[in-house]
């Protein structure tokens, strides 16, 4: 029976865990969190997937409340610029989906099928999903009048402010908060965790522990020596540099994250109400931190000597083999990390917390619960890793060694090999997706969007061959966007 939980770490993962568990578990379970002010948090992580809406909804926290306190903006998808040099496919949008898209999406899948077999057909996803238009036309993804239509959207937010918001909420739910450095961890003879000691002389005892200590992985890796499965042969970006820039007046932005391919990686641009968040994710095998910072500054239009804070980060990419063992579960960067190209880290944190809570709510857990939990977390991590790796495998750039290596040296998983084979041979792609659906985290439209959006098509057949492609649906998406989605204006 669990009656006391100690969370080590007060980053977004720690406070999301504290808030969620304190809202779900019986009041008899005491929850404490200890965090170090000296070490601080990773301080990035400002993009999300639509699952975050469900997280706040499940806690009855209104959008208006948390968005206002974290400088948040809406996101309808990710614009990928310059990842492909195929003509007509230099840019594409990975949309969040909505019910309006049902009809044009079918046209898109059909046209992709034609284009995969070499026929002339418009197969850029931008033309078939309203989310791309919402962003392009400076609209908000939140419906003005509310027809009964499901629209997925996500958010951008200030990571530090989100942490503070979650902290205040969790504390008002009764979570005890300690600020101190954990200096040692006490275990019993069977390797079960018993307590942690801090530099303030505090001994914190609990019978269940959540490791949210970030890349340090203080409990799971340092203390319990859990095995780390590296993804570095699949995803070789291992560093990032982040720079914040001010907004201009009027602050006009699209409801999107922009991912722009640079020389040795890619740059994110995230609009907040109060500023821009920008960063360059790169491979330290291909460039230095200084050159990456200079390239980022140059791309942002800043001089190399500009007085801006550049935050340099190292990234450990991979996951634990066992996320939960004994009385300790690792959540957040301490359990693993996939580079932020699809902004999936907090989604994985959310799944980890919700799956854990479902089990703990029953009051006790078994070895079978832990096994199922670990299997599901590994499936989610590996599924996201596969999808993210495909961006690199599909890139068609030849202008730097980085992009050539990304295409040629990335280890391709069996599932991705299988999908590529079916796609390239013009086989039934639906059937191929179905065969491996249990392993896939991303749904059908995302696979079509990335493969076709990055221009993975054979040479076109001779013009004498008639394919009769269906009409593109630009007019439809444009009409729907203009009719239902309001203009997006922000008052900082
Ligand atoms: C470059 C980059 C970009 C990212 N972009 C995105 C994104 O767009 N979307 C997304 O979802 N995610 C993103 N992430 C991931 C996201 O930032 C993290 O998943 C999220 O912030 C959660 O981090 P965390 O709480 O696990 O770790 P941290 O924020 O590192 O927190 C760790 C906590 O543990 C504490 N701690 C460590 N050691 C001790 C100790 N000895 N004693 C006491 N306390 C200790 C620290 O003080 C801190 O409070 C990105 C990550 C990186 C590196």
């Amino acid at each position: 029976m669990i009656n006391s939980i100690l969370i080590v770490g007060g980053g977004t993962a720690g406070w999301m865990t504290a808030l969620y568990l304190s809202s779900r578990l019986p009041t008899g379970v005491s929850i404490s969190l200890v965090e170090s002010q000296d070490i601080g948090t990773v301080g990035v992580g400002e993009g999300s997937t639509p699952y975050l809406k469900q997280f706040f909804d499940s806690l009855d926290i209104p959008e208006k409340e948390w968005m206002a306190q974290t400088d948040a903006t809406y996101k309808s998808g990710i614009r990928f610029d310059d990842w492909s040099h195929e003509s007509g496919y230099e840019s594409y949008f990975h949309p969040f989906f909505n019910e309006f898209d049902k009809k044009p999406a079918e046209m898109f899948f059909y046209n992709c099928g034609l284009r995969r077999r070499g026929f002339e057909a418009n197969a850029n996803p931008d033309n078939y999903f309203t989310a791309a238009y919402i962003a392009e036309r400076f609209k908000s993804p939140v419906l003005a009048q509310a027809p009964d239509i499901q629209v997925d959207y996500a958010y951008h937010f200030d990571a530090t402010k989100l942490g503070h918001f979650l902290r205040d909420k969790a504390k008002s739910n009764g979570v005890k908060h300690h600020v101190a450095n954990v200096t040692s961890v006490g275990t019993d003879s069977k390797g079960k965790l018993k307590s942690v000691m801090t530099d303030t002389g505090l001994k914190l005892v609990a019978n269940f522990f959540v490791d949210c200590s970030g890349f340090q992985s203080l409990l799971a890796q340092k203390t319990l020596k859990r095995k780390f499965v590296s993804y570095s042969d699949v995803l070789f970006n291992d560093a990032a540099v982040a720079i914040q820039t001010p907004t201009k007046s009027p602050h006009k932005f699209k409801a999107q994250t922009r991912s722009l391919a640079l020389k040795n990686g890619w740059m994110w641009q995230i609009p907040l109400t109060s500023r821009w968040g920008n960063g360059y994710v790169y491979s330290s095998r291909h460039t230095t931190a200084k050159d990456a910072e200079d390239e980022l500054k140059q791309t942002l239009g800043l001089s190399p000597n500009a007085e801006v804070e550049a935050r340099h980060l190292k990234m450990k990419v991979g996951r634990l083999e066992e996320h939960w063992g004994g009385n300790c579960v690792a959540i957040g960067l301490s359990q693993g990390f996939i580079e932020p190209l699809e902004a999936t880290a907090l989604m994985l944190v959310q799944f980890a917390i919700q799956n854990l809570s479902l089990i703990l709510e029953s009051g006790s857990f078994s070895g079978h619960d832990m096994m199922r939990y670990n299997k599901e977390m590994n499936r989610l991590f590996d599924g996201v890793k596969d999808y993210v790796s495909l961006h690199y495998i599909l890139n068609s750039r030849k202008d730097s060694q980085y992009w050539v290596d990304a295409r040629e040296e990335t280890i391709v998983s069996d599932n991705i090999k299988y999908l590529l084979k079916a796609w390239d041979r013009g086989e039934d792609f639906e059937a191929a997706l179905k065969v491996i659906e249990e392993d896939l985290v991303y749904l059908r439209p995302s696979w079509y969007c990335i493969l076709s959006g990055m221009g993975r098509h054979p040479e076109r057949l001779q013009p004498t061959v008639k394919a009769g492609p269906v009409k593109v649906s630009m007019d439809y998406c444009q009409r729907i966007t203009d009719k239902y989605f309001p203009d997006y204006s922000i008052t900082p």
Side-chain angles (χ1 to χ4, degrees), residues 236 395 397-410:
F236 47 70
N395 98 78
R397 294 178 60 132
K398 300 184 179 79
D399 52 325
S400 73
Q401 193 56 43
Y402 170 86
W403 288 107
V404 175
D405 291 348
R407 183 167 55 247
E408 292 177 0
E409 287 187 9
T410 296

Side-chain angles (χ1 to χ4, degrees), residues 316-389:
K316 191 170 159 191
V317 181
R319 62 158 171 83
L320 292 177
E321 193 170 79
E322 187 183 65
H323 306 263
W324 183 359
N327 66 343
C328 175
V329 64
I331 295 182
L333 297 175
S334 64
Q335 77 179 134
F337 180 58
I338 294 159
E339 65 137 286
L341 189 55
E342 289 282 346
T344 44
L346 292 180
M347 175 184 87
L348 293 170
V349 165
Q350 181 181 341
F351 292 158
I353 298 169
Q354 289 175 333
N355 290 346
L356 176 71
S357 182
L358 267 180
I359 297 170
L360 297 189
E361 281 163 41
S362 72
S364 63
F365 60 88
S366 64
H368 182 68
D369 290 328
M370 284 193 270
M371 193 192 73
R372 273 193 12 246
Y373 181 89
N374 287 327
K375 199 170 158 202
E376 175 61 1
M377 287 317 303
N378 288 341
R379 184 190 77 81
L380 292 167
F381 267 85
D382 292 350
V384 172
K385 179 259 294 169
D386 272 3
Y387 190 78
V388 170
S389 75

Side-chain angles (χ1 to χ4, degrees), residues 8-14 34-48 157 159 180-183 212-216 218 240 268 270 281 313-315 331-334 337 340 343-347 349:
V8 176
T12 317
V34 59
E35 65 169 321
S36 158
Q37 216 150 46
D38 303 333
I39 296 170
T41 64
V42 70
V44 283
E46 307 198 317
S48 59
F157 41 80
N181 293 307
V182 172
T183 47
C212 294
S213 64
F215 285 125
Q216 308 252 351
L218 194 62
W268 78 76
I270 282 183
V281 175
L313 299 142
K314 283 274 167 210
M315 307 187 307
I331 295 182
L333 297 175
S334 64
F337 180 58
T344 44
L346 292 180
M347 175 184 87
V349 165

Side-chain angles (χ1 to χ4, degrees), residues 289-309:
K290 158 109 187 45
D291 286 350
E293 183 180 324
D294 287 351
E295 194 185 344
L296 176 61
K297 282 182 175 163
Q298 193 190 11
T299 314
L300 293 171
L302 301 168
S303 93
N305 306 320
E307 299 259 324
V308 289
E309 191 196 330

Side-chain angles (χ1 to χ4, degrees), residues 237-267:
N237 288 338
D238 59 355
V241 49
I243 291 178
Q244 300 177 356
T245 49
T247 58
K248 295 203 178 88
S249 190
H251 183 22
K252 208 166 178 303
F253 59 85
K254 297 173 180 175
Q256 65 176 32
T257 298
R258 183 174 182 228
S259 163
L260 169 66
L262 298 184
K263 198 169 155 210
N264 295 294
W266 61 276
M267 174 180 109

Side-chain angles (χ1 to χ4, degrees), residues 1-6 21 25-32 192 206-210 324 326-329 356-366 369-370:
M1 293 297 283
I2 294 169
N3 50 38
S4 54
I5 298 177
L6 178 65
L21 293 184
L25 299 185
T27 43
V29 180
S30 88
I31 302 177
S32 310
K192 246 175 101 179
N207 66 358
F208 195 83
F209 293 78
V210 189
W324 183 359
N327 66 343
C328 175
V329 64
L356 176 71
S357 182
L358 267 180
I359 297 170
L360 297 189
E361 281 163 41
S362 72
S364 63
F365 60 88
S366 64
D369 290 328
M370 284 193 270

Side-chain angles (χ1 to χ4, degrees), residues 9 18 83 149 200 272 426:
W83 281 73
I149 290 275
T200 53
L272 303 186

